[in-house]
Amino acid sequence: MTDEKKQPEKIADDVVVSMDYTLRVDDEVVDSSQGGEPIEFLQGHGNIIPGLEKELHDMAVGESKDVVVSAADGYGEIDPAAVIDVPRSEFPPSITLEPGVTLQVQDNEGNVMLAQIREVGAETVKLDFNHPLAGKDLHFNVKIVGLRNATDEELAHGHVHSGGHAH
Ligand code: ZN
């Protein structure tokens, strides 16, 4: 038997972090681990948004922190070019065309994207492909609940394998 590698005491690259979090935007909770499991991710591999990841460096288990991530470091600024007019004829009749409805749209390469209907005109429908949180400052409250070393396989894949999941 070789010596077990010591478990990490602080967050650094290649450490697996378990974290409780609440995300507020415009003073409203839009996402939270409260009432569920903490999220688990591999620090330093872009598993979470970069603006949050860099603020977690050196935190220890039990520590909590408020982190404000600007739109530019979060989901990006609103891109006017991502709002496009699509002819009504391209929508199947089964789809309800109403402002505020979110649609799954497939592009020519088969990628599925989410778009929100902004306006419904006589001839065209205005679709917004911006992320719903684009242009918003993100207010996170995080609490570190666990740290462990990543396995060699997790490091090779660049993400966490938990709950029996492996790919
Ligand atoms: Zn994997």
Side-chain angles (χ1 to χ4, degrees), residues 37-146:
E37 293 290 309
I39 55 164
E40 197 177 36
F41 60 90
L42 184 58
Q43 174 79 3
H45 292 258
N47 294 175
I48 61 172
I49 59 172
L52 179 59
E53 187 174 58
K54 69 170 188 266
E55 291 293 327
L56 301 178
H57 199 78
D58 267 350
M59 287 183 73
V61 172
E63 286 189 331
S64 56
K65 193 174 188 181
D66 289 311
V67 178
V68 181
V69 176
S70 69
D73 287 334
Y75 292 96
E77 301 292 354
I78 290 173
D79 178 7
V83 182
I84 58 171
D85 290 315
V86 179
R88 281 188 81 131
S89 57
E90 291 194 15
F91 295 89
S94 59
I95 289 182
T96 307
L97 297 176
E98 273 175 21
V101 170
T102 299
L103 302 176
Q104 283 195 351
V105 181
Q106 208 167 21
D107 69 12
N108 294 333
E109 275 105 50
N111 302 307
V112 175
M113 297 171 295
L114 292 179
Q116 196 175 54
I117 298 175
R118 289 282 170 234
E119 285 171 36
V120 180
E123 301 292 330
T124 60
V125 176
K126 199 177 283 294
L127 290 184
D128 186 350
F129 286 89
N130 284 291
H131 189 280
L133 296 177
K136 304 281 191 186
D137 289 339
L138 310 175
H139 296 253
F140 288 96
N141 177 263
V142 300
K143 183 175 185 187
I144 308 307
V145 296

Side-chain angles (χ1 to χ4, degrees), residues 157 159 161 165-167:
H157 287 205
H159 56 228
H161 291 167
H165 142 94
H167 58 88

